């Protein structure tokens, strides 16, 4: 198979939505029956974003094979249902690590190791890694960062070389920004012209331009961009702000992005993509009017992207229930017994978020106590589940100092403790319990009913776990261990059966919810919130 390579680059500023444009293009090509994969190259030096604070790049996404990945991979999966792997996300750090390992092994036979050709060759090898499996008609590669950044230069050089080597089997889609100057009431194309010039300076002529804009760009202005940038007029596409990211594939299709990509790469392009299921979702989304009010209790509340996958999972589940999501972030550092009622009482359901470290956990305990005592539908995820266990230990089992050893290493009631295999680990990067693990659900539990099966697989990212020494005490007092790992018997899910909906999971269900297959636990949680 002659795999085609589509590069997506960005100019002018970051945060223009390259990930969404790449995902939308992948969705359209898949809906036309092509086999497609999509990958992200990040120019930063971290080996992966696993060690990054959410304040830096938002949520860390986890792939089935246990790679801690950029949150764009979450968009890729939600739009396409493709299961990405570590091969779908490469950083400068990984490229250098691999080149340096080869140098130490002596693979370069005494040559001087340089950015060109060694780093660029390594980038090219990684670009083609998925393509050479023979499984894909098209490989979409999103290049992180903005054209003009020093750190993205080797990536652009690799793109330039590949375009030369692969001819029309390889194209570049460049996303730029057309600002609207309010005082002058004018859209401005100059930044776009400059950004294309920068790209041309690196030897890359973009084939398609996608212009991000707040206002409709008139045809004459698009012609002007085409003329200045050596791009045909039909290949100047606008990406105007829309209420939902899930409308972007349709907006791109209406302007022919998928057809352009296929014709420019000499691929057959007949008929229309089959977007029946996608449109069904959009219809539901656009017709939903009754709100479901969800409170998300976490410490990164001022950050849009810190809980991205949870937000999207909730949104998808609400949409399939013909409801509109009204999501309120509640700062766990500000919750206490005195204000908890006022903060939570108006909600239809509460999510207690994942996280690391002590900050904000006391607020999570206060929120959970109130939720448990007031029969509020409550969903604890990872640290959220651990907090459910701790709160139950303190207030039901009367273990006043119960805690996780992550928060209080000296507690006598270490109901959440470090996993045995974690105890000797000193390196922080990539050493958690990561990726998909099997889980067996207990028959008759709410969790099992929600999944409608007893055998599931879910993705993990944590070091601590439910301490099995206390299991009997918890079960005797009414907290059911509803799911466990079939090999290690680690507790993966807990629930209170006499409660309306009070479930905690050690894994991250949010990584597996997509537009076309919303997650069963989120679906069941929203169902419970609605019936409240
Ligand atoms: N900090 C907890 C642990 O490491 C929970 C992690 C999480 O919420 N992802 O076990």
């Amino acid at each position: 198979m002659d795999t085609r390579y589509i590069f997506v680059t960005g100019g002018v500023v970051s945060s223009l939505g390259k990930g969404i444009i790449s995902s939308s293009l992948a969705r359209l090509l898949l809906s036309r029956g092509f086999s497609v994969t999509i990958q992200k190259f990040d120019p930063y030096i971290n080996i992966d974003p696993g060690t990054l604070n959410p304040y830096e790049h938002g949520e860390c996404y986890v792939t089935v094979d246990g790679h801690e990945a950029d949150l764009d991979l979450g968009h890729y999966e939600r739009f396409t249902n493709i299961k990405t792997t570590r091969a779908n996300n490469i950083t400068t750090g990984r490229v250098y690590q691999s080149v340096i390992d080869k140098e130490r092994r002596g693979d370069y036979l005494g040559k001087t190791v340089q950015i060109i050709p060694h780093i660029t060759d390594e980038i090219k090898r990684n670009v083609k890694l998925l393509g050479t499996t023979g499984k894909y008609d098209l490989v979409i590669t999103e290049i992180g960062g903005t054209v003009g950044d020093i750190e993205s230069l080797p990536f652009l050089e690799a793109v330039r070389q590949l375009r030369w080597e692969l001819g029309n089997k390889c194209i570049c889609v460049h996303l730029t920004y057309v600002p609207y100057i309010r005082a002058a009431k004018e859209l401005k194309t100059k930044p776009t012209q400059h950004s294309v010039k920068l790209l041309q300076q690196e030897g890359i002529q973009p084939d398609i331009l996608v212009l991000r804009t707040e206002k409709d760009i008139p045809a004459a202005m698009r012609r002007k961009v085409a003329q200045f940038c050596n791009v045909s007029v039909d290949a100047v596409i606008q990406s105007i702000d829309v209420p939902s990211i899930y409308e972007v594939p349709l907006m791109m299709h209406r302007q022919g992005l998928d057809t352009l990509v296929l014709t420019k790469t000499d691929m057959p392009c007949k008929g229309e993509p089959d977007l029946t299921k996608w449109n069904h979702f959009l219809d539901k989304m656009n017709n939903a009017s009754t709100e479901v009010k969800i409170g998300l209790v976490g410490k990164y509340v001022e950050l849009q992207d810190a809980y991205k996958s949870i937000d999207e999972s909730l949104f998808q589940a609400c949409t399939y229930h013909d409801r509109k999501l009204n999501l309120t972030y509640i700062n766990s550092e500000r919750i206490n017994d005195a204000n908890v009622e006022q903060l939570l009482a108006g909600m239809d359901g509460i999510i207690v978020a994942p996280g690391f470290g002590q900050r904000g956990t006391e607020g999570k305990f206060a929120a959970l106590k109130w939720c448990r005592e007031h029969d509020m539908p409550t969903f604890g995820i990872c640290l959220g589940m651990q907090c459910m266990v701790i709160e139950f230990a303190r207030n039901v089992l009367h273990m006043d100092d119960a805690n996780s050893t992550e928060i209080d290493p000296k507690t006598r009631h270490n109901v959440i403790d470090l996993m045995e295999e974690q105890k000797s680990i000193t390196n922080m990067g990539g050493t958690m319990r990561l990726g998909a693990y099997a889980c067996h659900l207990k028959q008759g539990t709410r969790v099992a009913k929600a999944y409608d099966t007893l055998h599931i697989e879910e993705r993990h990212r944590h070091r601590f776990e439910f301490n099995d020494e206390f299991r009997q005490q918890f079960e005797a007092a009414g907290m059911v261990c509803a799911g466990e790992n079939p090999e290690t018997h680690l507790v993966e899910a807990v629930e209170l059966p006499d409660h309306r909906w009070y479930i905690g999971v050690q894994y991250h269900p949010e990584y597996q919810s997509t537009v076309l297959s919303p997650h069963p636990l989120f679906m069941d949680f929203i169902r419970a919130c609605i019936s409240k």
Side-chain angles (χ1 to χ4, degrees):
M1 189 185 298
D2 254 349
T3 304
R4 307 305 204 255
Y5 292 89
I6 321 300
F7 290 100
V8 180
T9 56
V12 185
V13 286
S14 56
S15 302
L16 291 180
K18 265 190 309 213
I20 303 296
I21 294 295
S22 307
S23 304
S24 299
L25 176 60
R27 174 72 269 154
L28 293 172
L29 296 170
L30 283 165
S31 300
R32 284 180 170 276
F34 292 102
S35 55
V36 179
T37 192
I38 174 165
Q39 56 189 359
K40 170 111 193 245
F41 283 29
D42 276 308
Y44 53 70
I45 298 183
N46 304 61
I47 296 291
D48 60 46
T51 51
L52 290 175
N53 184 319
Y55 289 109
E56 296 286 315
H57 287 274
E59 163 190 281
C60 172
Y61 188 76
V62 179
T63 60
V64 265
D65 64 340
H67 177 66
E68 296 176 282
D70 185 81
L71 61 75
D72 271 326
L73 271 78
H75 290 308
Y76 301 169
E77 294 207 8
R78 286 188 284 275
F79 274 68
T80 64
N81 276 30
I82 292 170
K83 287 230 187 324
T84 58
T85 66
R86 107 183 21 251
N88 297 73
N89 190 198
I90 311 287
T91 65
T92 293
R94 267 189 53 210
V95 170
Y96 270 78
Q97 192 174 49
S98 155
V99 168
I100 290 169
D101 286 346
K102 285 182 196 164
E103 186 274 337
R104 291 289 84 181
R105 280 201 307 267
D107 292 3
Y108 296 115
L109 303 172
K111 288 269 185 238
T112 308
V113 181
Q114 294 178 297
I115 293 183
I116 303 168
H118 302 100
I119 295 296
T120 45
D121 278 354
E122 181 63 19
I123 294 172
K124 281 157 64 182
R125 190 181 69 79
N126 278 297
V127 168
K128 293 206 232 161
L129 210 56
L130 289 167
T132 45
T133 58
K135 286 196 284 198
Y136 303 106
D137 300 314
L138 298 116
V139 175
I140 300 171
T141 306
E142 177 188 346
I143 308 287
T146 308
V147 172
D149 295 347
I150 290 179
E151 53 186 15
S152 53
L153 284 176
F155 291 93
L156 295 179
E157 169 59 15
V159 173
R160 185 195 67 77
Q161 291 180 19
L162 280 169
R163 299 207 50 197
W164 179 246
E165 288 162 28
L166 296 167
N168 63 358
K169 291 191 194 71
C170 174
I171 61 166
C172 171
V173 178
H174 186 57
L175 176 61
T176 77
Y177 183 47
V178 176
Y180 178 72
I181 311 292
R182 216 161 285 278
K185 294 198 177 61
E186 263 186 285
L187 286 163
K188 291 291 180 190
T189 65
K190 192 76 84 190
T192 293
Q193 297 172 38
H194 282 304
S195 134
V196 171
K197 287 252 151 60
L198 270 177
L199 202 56
Q200 288 165 341
Q201 251 168 47
E202 303 312 326
I204 301 170
Q205 169 60 50
D207 300 276
I208 299 170
L209 294 177
V210 178
L211 313 181
R212 179 71 192 266
T213 175
E214 276 176 63
K215 303 232 176 243
D216 188 60
I217 303 174
M221 195 170 266
R222 278 187 249 178
R223 273 200 299 278
K224 179 170 140 191
V225 171
Q227 201 171 40
F228 272 109
C229 301
N230 300 344
V231 173
S232 55
V233 185
D234 63 336
V236 179
I237 289 178
Q238 69 172 354
S239 172
I240 193 161
D241 293 355
V242 279
S244 162
I245 52 172
Y246 299 123
E247 286 174 20
V248 178
L250 296 189
M251 175 168 69
M252 289 300 111
H253 175 60
R254 279 194 295 272
Q255 298 176 80
L257 178 64
D258 46 335
T259 347
L260 277 164
V261 165
L262 291 170
T263 45
K264 283 185 188 293
T265 54
D266 261 342
M267 291 291 270
C269 178
K270 274 196 242 94
E272 286 289 307
D274 178 4
L275 293 166
T276 321
K277 286 187 186 150
W278 194 269
N279 283 325
H280 169 71
F281 175 82
L282 292 186
D283 284 344
K284 279 184 166 292
M285 179 181 90
N286 291 325
N287 291 324
S289 56
T290 316
E291 283 187 345
V292 183
K293 280 189 253 161
I294 304 293
L296 189 150
V297 175
K299 65 175 167 180
Y300 298 114
V301 286
E302 64 283 12
L303 265 177
Q304 257 211 51
D305 283 348
Y307 304 112
K308 193 80 205 159
S309 294
I310 294 179
D311 296 1
E312 297 302 325
S313 303
L314 288 169
F315 179 77
Q316 290 153 4
C318 284
T319 302
Y320 279 105
H321 283 298
D322 301 301
R323 291 295 198 284
K324 226 181 153 113
L325 172 65
N326 178 345
L327 184 61
T328 309
Y329 293 105
I330 304 168
N331 188 340
S332 52
E333 287 180 276
R334 302 235 173 93
I335 306 177
N336 52 48
D337 291 331
N339 65 13
V340 63
E341 170 128 350
Q342 179 209 337
L343 289 169
L344 305 190
M347 300 293 161
D348 299 318
I350 297 294
I351 294 243
V352 182
F356 293 84
Q358 189 272 336
R359 190 161 67 85
T361 46
E362 291 301 322
K364 286 183 173 170
F365 301 144
L368 284 165
K369 178 168 189 286
W370 190 89
C371 288
R372 185 176 52 74
E373 290 175 349
H374 292 81
D375 208 13
M376 171 68 84
T378 309
F379 195 176
I381 299 179
C382 207
L383 179 63
M385 174 261 199
Q386 298 175 352
C387 289
M388 277 180 163
V389 169
I390 297 165
E391 187 281 320
F392 192 84
R394 287 184 183 183
N395 299 318
V396 179
L397 300 175
H398 306 294
M399 304 171 176
D400 292 350
D401 73 333
N403 220 327
S404 161
T405 47
E406 178 181 13
I407 301 165
D408 176 8
K410 293 209 180 75
T411 172
R412 282 174 308 130
H413 295 102
N414 51 339
V415 292
I416 303 292
D417 202 359
L418 200 59
M419 276 179 269
E420 211 38 55
E421 64 270 27
Q422 286 285 333
K423 291 189 176 155
S424 56
I425 289 174
T426 48
N427 258 0
M428 295 304 273
T431 55
M432 278 186 255
R433 183 177 181 221
L434 288 167
Y437 284 89
C439 173
H440 282 185
L441 301 176
K442 196 180 216 161
Q443 192 132 31
T445 56
R446 175 111 210 191
V447 178
K449 280 187 209 130
Y451 279 97
D452 197 23
T453 171
L454 297 182
H455 305 284
I456 58 165
E457 232 179 56
E458 292 280 3
R459 301 181 205 175
H460 291 252
R461 182 173 187 249
H462 59 108
R463 291 185 204 279
F464 295 80
E465 56 155 322
F466 182 96
N467 185 345
D468 214 48
E469 282 172 30
F470 294 93
R471 192 195 285 220
Q472 273 186 346
Q473 278 168 276
F474 276 88
E475 299 225 290
M479 182 171 264
V480 174
C481 298
E484 65 172 43
N485 181 285
E487 278 151 35
T488 57
H489 302 289
L490 290 175
V491 174
E492 314 282 38
V494 296
E495 68 179 52
L496 295 179
D498 55 357
H499 193 285
R500 203 192 300 262
W501 207 100
Y502 197 87
I503 294 175
V505 291
Q506 184 57 75
Y507 49 80
H508 291 269
E510 70 272 23
Y511 295 145
Q512 309 224 81
S513 189
T514 72
V515 169
L516 299 184
S517 35
H519 194 284
L521 259 192
F522 280 93
M523 287 294 282
D524 201 55
F525 172 61
I526 296 297
R527 193 174 298 125
C529 298
I530 292 169
S531 65
K532 172 177 175 275

